[in-house]
Amino acid sequence: EADKDGNGTLDFEEVVLLLHVYRYSEGFTAEEIQGLTGIFNRDLKIHKDGTKATTVPADALANILMQFFGPVVAEWAKDLQNEIMSGGTSQKQKTSEDGEKVIPTGVTFSECLLWARKLRDKEFDMYRKAFHDFDDDGSGAISMQELKACIKHCGYTLPQKAVNELLTEAKDRGEWHGPDFAEDPDCEMDYDVFVHVMQILHESEGFAKGEVEEIQSCFDKFDEDQSGDMDVIELTDL
């Protein structure tokens, strides 16, 4: 994005642009920001005069983060929401004339993006800890057996075919050009591939890609009003 002349290096102006883009995006990709924007906009209320609000209620933050990251982050999302609701140090505070602290009731998109980055930091801390905990031989890489132990510890039971599918997609995301695990089960993955494996595992809840597509198809079929949410009657039909 910043290397405008495409020469593979950054001059001063391009470095300034890089910092500007990074500060705006909080380190998320354009695709991720687009997804979070869609979730955020669904929670914006319409005023009586027909204009749309620019903030969402502070007590909607946890739900927005869970929709973006998945239900696996539910506890962290609620902790962050409680922090903003209680006027945590990262949240701007105002004081009323009588000296009482006033906690903001609305969250802008830029603030939502900031809280999303805080949650991602927590997520990466968890992955880093898991990587070191299950790197039994201290090699700085994770073997197939160590990965299976980590997946089992996370509460998932996957057949080898599903594990191989996870690894293939993770290698593509991480642009890793190491050996194929299916051909060489003794090879090890680096931290970058491990993070992608864990992200995909949580995104799919351990289901294979074909199973996820089937579940999504069923969801779309019974989500008759195409709202993206399913009520109790639609769920019963499903």
Side-chain angles (χ1 to χ4, degrees):
E1 185 71 23
D3 185 17
K4 293 300 183 182
D5 53 15
N7 66 355
T9 61
L10 299 177
D11 59 27
F12 176 74
E13 291 184 357
E14 290 173 330
V15 169
V16 172
L17 176 60
L18 173 66
L19 295 175
H20 176 75
V21 172
Y22 188 82
R23 186 177 295 113
Y24 168 78
S25 67
E26 292 288 349
F28 290 99
T29 66
E31 183 179 359
E32 288 172 328
I33 292 177
Q34 184 178 5
L36 184 59
T37 300
I39 297 170
F40 181 85
N41 287 341
R42 286 203 297 268
D43 282 313
L44 291 178
K45 295 182 178 180
I46 305 297
H47 296 306
K48 292 182 179 180
D49 60 3
T51 60
K52 181 177 286 190
T54 58
T55 62
V56 298
D59 57 7
L61 179 65
N63 185 51
I64 291 174
L65 295 176
M66 281 189 284
Q67 289 184 63
F68 183 63
F69 288 98
V72 69
V73 303
E75 186 174 346
W76 292 336
K78 290 176 181 176
D79 288 343
L80 290 175
Q81 178 175 290
N82 290 336
E83 183 178 341
I84 195 173
M85 294 291 289
S86 63
T89 55
S90 299
Q91 178 65 23
K92 292 182 180 179
Q93 301 177 17
K94 297 180 181 179
T95 303
S96 62
E97 294 180 357
D98 59 1
E100 292 185 359
K101 187 170 59 177
V102 179
I103 307 301
T105 57
V107 178
T108 65
F109 178 75
S110 60
E111 290 172 333
C112 182
L113 196 61
L114 173 64
W115 290 100
R117 195 260 299 164
K118 287 177 177 288
L119 197 151
R120 172 160 286 180
D121 288 344
K122 289 178 177 288
E123 184 182 36
F124 273 48
D125 286 342
M126 178 188 70
Y127 295 150
R128 192 174 294 108
K129 183 178 185 303
F131 185 84
H132 290 297
D133 287 348
F134 287 91
D135 179 18
D136 294 331
D137 55 5
S139 64
I142 294 288
S143 67
M144 177 67 78
Q145 293 304 317
E146 290 169 339
L147 175 64
K148 287 182 177 179
C150 183
I151 291 175
K152 185 176 181 180
H153 176 76
C154 292
Y156 298 97
T157 303
L158 303 182
Q160 185 62 48
K161 182 179 179 180
V163 175
N164 291 340
E165 185 180 284
L166 267 177
L167 291 170
T168 299
E169 186 173 348
K171 286 171 64 177
D172 291 341
R173 288 192 186 187
E175 298 181 356
W176 188 66
H177 305 290
D180 192 318
F181 284 88
E183 298 176 358
D184 183 8
D186 295 326
C187 70
E188 297 183 322
M189 72 183 71
D190 59 19
Y191 174 72
D192 187 47
V193 176
F194 175 77
V195 167
H196 288 300
V197 168
M198 299 307 293
Q199 286 182 319
I200 297 167
L201 183 66
H202 289 149
E203 289 170 8
S204 66
E205 288 295 338
F207 289 101
K209 182 179 291 186
E211 293 174 316
V212 173
E213 291 174 353
E214 182 179 356
I215 294 171
Q216 182 67 58
S217 177
C218 290
F219 184 93
D220 293 341
K221 179 180 179 181
F222 286 94
D223 179 22
E224 296 178 355
D225 56 6
Q226 299 300 306
S227 63
D229 294 315
M230 188 169 291
D231 59 34
V232 175
I233 294 178
E234 291 172 332
L235 178 61
T236 304
D237 292 338
L238 172 62

